Amino acid sequence: MDLLTLRSCTMRFGGLTAIADLSIGLAAGDLLGLIGPNGAGKTTIFNMITGIYRPSSGQVLFDGHSIVGLKPNQIADRGIARTFQNIRLFPSMTVYETVQAAYSKGVKYGLIHAVSRCGPFHTSEEETDRAIAELLEYFELETVRNEIAISLPYGQQRKVELLRALATKPKLLLLDEPAAGMNPSEKVALMGLIERVRSDFRVSILLIDHDMRVVMGICKRLVVLDYGVKIAEGSPREIQCDSKVIEAYLGEPTE
Amino acid sequence: MRLHKSGLMLIAAIVTGFAISRFEHLINPYYYQVLIYIGINIILASSLNLINGFAGQFSLGHAGFMAVGAYTSAVVTSQLHFASSSMLNTAAFSLALLLGGIVAAIFGLLVGIPSLRLKGDYLAITTLGFGEIIRVIVQNLDFLGGARGFTGIPKLTNFVWVFSTVAIVILLVSNLINSTYGKSFLAVRDDELAAETIGISSTRVKVIAFVTGAFFAGVAGALYAHFVTYINPAQFSFLKSFEIVVMVIIGGMGSIFGVILSAILLTILPEMLRSVAQYRMVVYSLLLIVIMITRPRGLFVRTRTAKQSVALKTLR
Ligand SMILES: Nc1ncnc2c1ncn2[C@@H]1O[C@H](COP(=O)(O)OP(=O)(O)OP(=O)(O)O)[C@@H](O)[C@H]1O
Ligand SMILES: [Mg+2]
């Protein structure tokens, strides 16, 4: 059974149909690439999955259960985490605090313990601290742990956002153009990191990029979207030769 | 580090409270009164800071919660007979403070619920209206004295009560904000949607902030009532709410120590300006304007490094 299934999903904004009758399946452990030209509807799919938009019609199943109509935080609780195309970090927080925020749901104590600092408070905080330190090391961010996250260089901000999503211990990670704004060598490094994250954290990934060369290397399967319609699906090799895909990308500026 | 600081604060405040209470009769009654007001204002501003500064929900109804606490506690103590035993007095007053806080917290819940749907200016106006509704209702309740006010409240508030509460409020707020749990408040303030996508229920955060903030505003109201011994609805108008909001803004939204300092400053300032009599409010307002122009992020907030300011600007 698939971990995530979109069944005939349609998303309309007034007269505009951003997503039309789209079906996608993602098996546990997969790293699926979602590509398509600007405005194809990629981000809209993420917003439907994460409960920010409610599909006009169709079903979204996660782990076999419908998640349509749930609030974003409930969907996050089920095990879906995401990053944003235009990075959304918490502007007042340091890198460490940002990851802490992701842990704030998972602590083993409540409000009363937090304000009185008794009961399981200290053991839980120490546990969280160790876990965060490990994550920061994995992402090579320990040197900037006390920097305000949004003051970091762009590439590191993307990493912090990825780390924040991962810290919620998701089953499925949705990454919206994580390589945007990076130079080619940074992109290669990031793709390597994403692949490592997938196996080390045993998380399934749905990865958006509009530049298909970026994702070719790590995704075994790609879905190509154009004007809200799935125009192709298959291995990178199949996609590259697909006439519809070539047509959709014709005239696309190369970066 | 901060925990250390807040723990020391708690001890220092209670010790100071006890020490000063030994010499209460020696202190000039006017200074004594100003000190009590400082304490009450710190409680009010710190609890509003939880709602406005940490959870990011701009509330203009704090005087309403204060009124609820003041009247509730006044009713409680007027029903109890005060024995000569100070132990009994202490117990009765504790009960009155607690009930004042709890009833205010219930009202906080009622305000918290509309806040789930409203943002920014709309929320500010709604909470402002809510505070005024409370005042008007009290004004029309005869058993609370109506517009004439509630008289004969026993004078039970003293240094120890006020400054122990101050210490507790500061400790609780700082413990909360410096815990992993408390980061959910800051996350909702910073970016509600991003907070939701990491599993934080913004609904929960807002309701907790309103309920806790209202609880302490209620306790502050109860302390106030049992200090002035006479309360009337006009004391809890939106002007009082504004005064508290100004303390939070001047201190720096979400800065625990900034807000304490500004509560002290803004309690003393109008007193010092008494000498210029009729120009008092003009000077006061001018000072506020100057502070806001020169230190828009709050008087006592450390200026960020240039790099951080640039990052903040690009974000907006
Ligand atoms: N909230 C909305 N209201 C109206 N239209 C919207 C909304 N969100 C998205 N759209 C429209 O839906 C279409 C798909 O947008 P979307 O952001 O999903 O594209 P995308 O594939 O992510 O593009 P890009 O590569 O530029 O990020 C666009 O035409 C966009 O204008
Ligand atoms: Mg997009």
Side-chain angles (χ1 to χ4, degrees), chain A residues 88 92 105 115 117 125, chain B residues 175 180 183 189-191 199:
Chain A
R88 293 183 80 142
S92 76
K105 262 306 283 284
V115 298
R117 312 226 139 167
E125 291 291 86
Chain B
N175 278 353
T180 302
K183 292 299 179 291
R189 173 192 71 186
D190 278 11
D191 188 333

Side-chain angles (χ1 to χ4, degrees), chain A:
Chain A
M1 191 186 60
D2 282 347
L3 180 65
L4 177 78
T5 312
L6 269 70
R7 209 175 276 162
S8 318
C9 284
T10 298
M11 185 76 229
R12 288 188 207 92
F13 298 108
L16 178 94
T17 304
I19 299 293
D21 197 32
L22 180 82
S23 297
I24 296 180
L26 182 141
D30 257 8
L31 199 170
L32 177 65
L34 186 58
I35 62 174
N38 288 113
K42 304 178 298 292
T43 300
T44 303
I45 294 176
F46 275 19
N47 288 340
M48 286 192 314
I49 298 172
T50 53
I52 293 168
Y53 299 156
R54 192 194 170 107
S56 313
S57 67
Q59 280 182 304
V60 182
L61 302 175
F62 184 66
D63 250 353
H65 300 285
S66 171
I67 53 168
V68 172
L70 295 184
K71 290 190 191 151
N73 70 301
Q74 294 170 319
I75 290 173
D77 284 344
R78 301 275 171 108
I80 302 182
R82 70 173 288 177
T83 65
F84 295 88
Q85 184 170 356
N86 44 347
I87 310 176
R88 293 183 80 142
L89 289 169
F90 302 123
S92 76
M93 293 193 201
T94 64
V95 172
Y96 184 86
E97 289 167 336
T98 306
V99 188
Q100 247 188 325
Y103 270 92
S104 65
K105 262 306 283 284
V107 293
K108 299 192 184 76
Y109 60 87
L111 176 67
I112 302 297
H113 294 132
V115 298
S116 64
R117 312 226 139 167
C118 54
F121 177 82
H122 288 289
T123 35
S124 174
E125 291 291 86
E126 278 159 25
E127 234 171 74
T128 307
D129 181 64
R130 270 196 302 275
I132 294 176
E134 257 173 47
L135 281 175
L136 289 173
E137 202 184 308
Y138 187 95
F139 280 80
E140 290 165 359
L141 289 166
E142 68 279 50
T143 52
V144 293
R145 61 186 269 152
N146 295 323
E147 303 270 336
I148 298 285
I150 58 167
S151 70
L152 295 176
Y154 203 69
Q156 277 185 326
Q157 289 191 39
R158 289 246 176 239
K159 266 195 189 175
V160 175
E161 210 195 18
L162 172 60
L163 173 51
R164 179 179 72 185
L166 204 59
T168 64
K169 305 193 182 74
K171 291 180 194 152
L172 173 65
L173 201 51
L174 310 178
L175 305 177
D176 197 345
E177 304 204 19
M182 291 185 175
N183 64 39
S185 71
E186 280 178 324
K187 282 187 186 183
V188 171
L190 182 75
M191 290 304 143
L193 175 66
I194 291 173
E195 176 54 35
R196 281 203 307 280
V197 161
R198 187 186 66 87
S199 59
D200 291 348
F201 293 85
R202 298 224 205 97
V203 59
S204 313
I205 297 177
L206 183 53
L207 175 66
I208 288 182
D209 210 296
H210 64 257
D211 183 353
M212 75 169 104
R213 285 165 309 173
V214 174
V215 292
M216 287 281 175
I218 57 168
C219 297
K220 287 185 195 65
R221 210 158 62 85
L222 299 174
V223 168
V224 189
L225 207 66
D226 194 23
Y227 293 111
V229 178
K230 182 161 81 177
I231 56 167
E233 182 170 7
S235 68
R237 182 180 290 271
E238 287 163 352
I239 296 298
Q240 264 176 319
C241 310
D242 192 292
S243 60
K244 276 191 194 157
V245 177
I246 294 166
E247 197 180 311
Y249 270 88
L250 213 63
E252 263 285 295
T254 47
E255 283 180 273

